[in-house]
């Protein structure tokens, strides 16, 4: 457990130490176990620590473990049994390849292996299901730089990694920014942005263990402007929600589409209606009942460079009513807010975090949503004024407790910090 005080809110921030690669700090990742413990550096909910002798809620952080050299862009996901799958890009002297390694609580880290066999790759993402099956996606650019494709590979505990395959079939265009999510049955949904002759569109493909990958399809049809930065989340029934930002001739808006196994993808819709300024950096999370919360950054003027300030906005989807009305979840009208992240617990409670300028530095702020009361009052959860705080991440456990992590600079170096929200039960 993190050191802290009373229940009922954010408790003491905690300094983990610092982590840098080639003088550039790595974005911290966090996950929560089902019993409320803080998972090592999980990008997905899981139990127990990852690496060294780290443990769950009553354990401690272990010693750092070197996984690979000449490597970057690590992404990790953890299953409920504490098994972790790590993917990254690694330089072999001629090109960047996609590599992976797996951690089990009984044996630790295994032997790293290359999972992308088409001699190149970048921007990997990974997701795991409760049975330990993993799906990794990445971008591969051909040696001539003429196009980029989206590739995937799947891991099962019984057979290991399979053969990498391309999951989009347009050989003439540039595809990038893949994201992936999986449900408890091992079904996966991948989304990415892809260029046609005129603009960037949002595409998706779905994997099922029985049939493999399907046929890629475009999930937005508004040709007014470029669409990019898709994010996706999946609930236990296989329903998926994708969000992205999309330009029209005047501004960028936030859009969404929903997939159900019975009907496929629906019709894309704009989920914010404030035409005063453009939106960007959307994120989305879903709960087991199919409710979703999306958050994003939005300016108060157009074009974006003329905006007076940037705010954090949110909208909520329920299967019975669809998307609600977008609302601003931070009320500081004096300074800019960026980089929102959001997580939900099984009861539909959400925690959003972001970085916000106070006139001298960036601090980390948070707000919490409950289905009964809506959004609360935003509060600052990082109070160390030594330097700027950036790129927060957040995860919640089934009891509604949350862990936020971020990196923060002091006069000598950037450090990794954390804070924990403990829910009060009546």
């Amino acid at each position: 457990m993190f050191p802290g005080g009373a229940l009922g809110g954010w408790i003491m921030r905690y300094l983990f130490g610092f982590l840098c690669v080639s003088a550039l700090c790595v974005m911290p990742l966090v996950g929560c176990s089902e019993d409320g413990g803080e998972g090592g550096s999980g990008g997905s909910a899981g139990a127990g620590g990852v690496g060294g002798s780290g443990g769950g809620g009553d354990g401690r952080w272990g010693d750092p473990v070197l996984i690979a050299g000449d490597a970057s862009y690590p992404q990790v996901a953890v299953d409920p049994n504490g098994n972790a799958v790590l993917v990254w890009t690694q330089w072999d002297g001629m090109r960047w390849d996609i590599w992976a390694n797996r951690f089990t609580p009984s044996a630790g880290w295994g032997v790293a292996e290359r999972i992308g066999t088409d001699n190149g790759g970048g921007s990997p993402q990974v997701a795991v299901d409760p049975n330990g099956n993993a799906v990794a996606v990445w971008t591969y650019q051909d040696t001539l730089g003429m196009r980029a494709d989206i590739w995937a590979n799947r891991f099962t505990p019984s057979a290991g990694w399979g053969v990498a395959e391309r999951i989009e079939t347009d050989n003439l265009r540039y595809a990038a920014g893949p994201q992936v999510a999986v449900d408890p049955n091992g079904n996966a949904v991948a989304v990415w942005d892809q260029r046609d002759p005129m603009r960037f569109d949002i595409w998706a493909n779905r994997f099922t263990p029985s049939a493999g990958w399907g046929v890629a399809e475009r999930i937005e049809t508004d040709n007014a402007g470029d669409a990019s930065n898709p994010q996706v989340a999946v609930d236990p029934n296989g329903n998926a929600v994708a969000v992205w930002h999309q330009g029209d001739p005047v501004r960028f808006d936030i859009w969404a589409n929903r997939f159900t196994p019975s009907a496929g993808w629906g019709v894309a819709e704009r989920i914010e209606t404030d035409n005063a300024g453009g939106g960007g950096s959307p994120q989305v999370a879903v709960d087991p009942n199919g409710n979703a919360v999306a958050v994003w950054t939005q300016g108060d003027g157009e074009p974006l460079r003329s905006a007076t300030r940037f705010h954090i906005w949110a909208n909520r989807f329920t299967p019975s009513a669809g998307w609600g009305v977008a609302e601003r979840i931070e009320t500081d009208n004096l300074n800019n807010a960026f980089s929102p992240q959001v997580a939900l617990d099984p009861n539909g409670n959400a925690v959003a975090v972001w970085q916000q300028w106070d006139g001298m530095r960036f601090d980390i702020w948070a707000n919490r949503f409950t289905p009964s009361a809506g959004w609360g009052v935003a509060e600052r959860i990082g109070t160390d004024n030594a330097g700027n705080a950036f790129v927060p991440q957040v995860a919640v456990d089934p009891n509604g407790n949350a862990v936020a992590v971020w990196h923060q600079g002091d006069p000598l170096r950037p450090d990794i910090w954390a804070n924990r929200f403990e829910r009060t039960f009546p």
Side-chain angles (χ1 to χ4, degrees):
M1 298 280 288
F2 293 114
L7 295 174
W10 293 95
I11 57 178
M12 187 182 299
R13 66 192 185 278
Y14 191 77
L15 174 65
F16 286 136
F18 66 96
L19 173 63
C20 286
V21 176
S22 300
L24 296 176
C25 270
V26 177
M27 178 184 292
L29 301 173
V30 66
C32 283
S33 68
E34 293 186 355
D35 61 2
E38 295 83 21
S41 45
S44 167
V50 178
S53 56
D58 295 324
R60 64 181 180 84
W61 292 97
D63 297 324
V65 177
L66 178 64
I67 304 298
D70 291 327
S72 64
Y73 207 91
Q75 298 290 314
V76 67
V78 185
D79 70 28
N81 297 311
N83 305 302
V85 175
L86 175 68
V87 297
W88 66 90
T89 60
Q90 187 165 332
W91 183 249
D92 68 2
M94 296 184 65
R95 64 185 64 83
W96 291 97
D97 294 315
I98 305 300
W99 285 70
N101 202 338
R102 185 169 185 257
F103 171 93
T104 64
S106 60
W109 290 102
V111 177
E113 60 180 303
R114 193 176 70 173
I115 64 171
T117 56
D118 200 29
N119 295 326
S123 303
Q125 297 288 326
V126 66
V128 299
D129 67 31
N131 297 312
N133 305 302
V135 175
V137 296
W138 63 90
T139 301
Y140 162 75
Q141 186 168 349
D142 67 20
T143 56
L144 298 178
M146 299 296 292
R147 68 174 187 275
D149 302 311
I150 306 301
W151 285 69
N153 201 338
R154 185 170 185 258
F155 171 92
T156 64
S158 60
W161 289 99
V163 178
E165 58 182 304
R166 196 175 66 192
I167 62 173
E168 54 81 29
T169 55
D170 182 355
N171 288 330
L172 301 178
R173 311 297 177 222
Y174 190 91
Q179 299 288 323
V180 66
V182 298
D183 68 30
N185 297 313
N187 305 302
V189 174
V191 296
W192 63 90
D193 54 68
Q194 186 165 340
R195 187 164 183 81
D196 65 19
M198 300 291 293
R199 64 191 63 81
F200 279 95
D201 301 310
I202 305 301
W203 285 70
N205 201 342
R206 185 169 184 258
F207 172 93
T208 64
S210 59
W213 288 100
V215 178
E217 59 182 303
R218 194 173 71 173
I219 63 173
E220 56 80 26
T221 56
D222 181 0
N223 291 327
D226 287 328
S228 60
N229 194 27
Q231 302 290 320
V232 66
V234 179
D235 70 29
N237 296 312
N239 305 302
V241 176
V243 296
W244 61 89
H245 69 242
Q246 187 161 349
D248 62 24
V250 178
R251 66 187 65 81
F252 278 95
D253 300 310
I254 307 301
W255 286 69
N257 200 342
R258 186 169 185 258
F259 170 93
T260 64
S262 60
W265 289 98
V267 178
E269 59 181 304
R270 195 174 70 177
I271 63 173
E272 54 82 23
T273 56
D274 180 4
N275 290 327
S281 304
Q283 298 289 326
V284 66
V286 298
D287 68 25
N289 297 312
N291 305 302
V293 173
V295 296
W296 63 89
T297 300
Q298 189 159 343
D300 62 3
E302 279 299 334
L304 285 179
R305 61 180 176 272
S306 68
T308 303
R309 63 188 64 85
F310 291 88
H311 303 295
I312 306 301
W313 286 69
N315 201 341
R316 183 171 184 255
F317 171 93
T318 65
S320 60
W323 289 99
V325 178
E327 60 182 303
R328 198 174 72 185
I329 63 172
E330 56 80 29
T331 55
D332 180 0
N333 288 327
L334 300 178
N335 298 295
N336 292 319
F338 301 104
S339 304
Q341 298 286 330
V342 66
L344 267 71
D345 69 26
N347 296 312
N349 305 302
V351 175
V353 296
W354 62 89
Q355 66 187 54
Q356 189 160 344
W357 182 250
D358 69 0
M360 297 185 66
R361 66 188 62 82
F362 278 102
D363 297 312
I364 304 302
W365 286 69
N367 200 341
R368 186 167 183 265
F369 171 93
T370 65
S372 60
W375 289 99
V377 178
E379 60 180 304
R380 192 173 69 170
I381 64 171
T383 56
D384 180 7
N385 292 327
N388 289 312
F390 296 107
V391 293
Q393 300 286 320
V394 66
V396 298
D397 67 27
N399 296 316
N401 305 303
V403 177
V405 297
W406 62 90
H407 84 239
Q408 186 162 351
D410 65 22
L412 297 177
R413 63 184 178 272
D415 301 310
I416 304 298
W417 286 77
N419 200 340
R420 186 169 191 262
F421 174 89
E422 290 189 348
R423 181 185 175 191
T424 300
F425 288 90

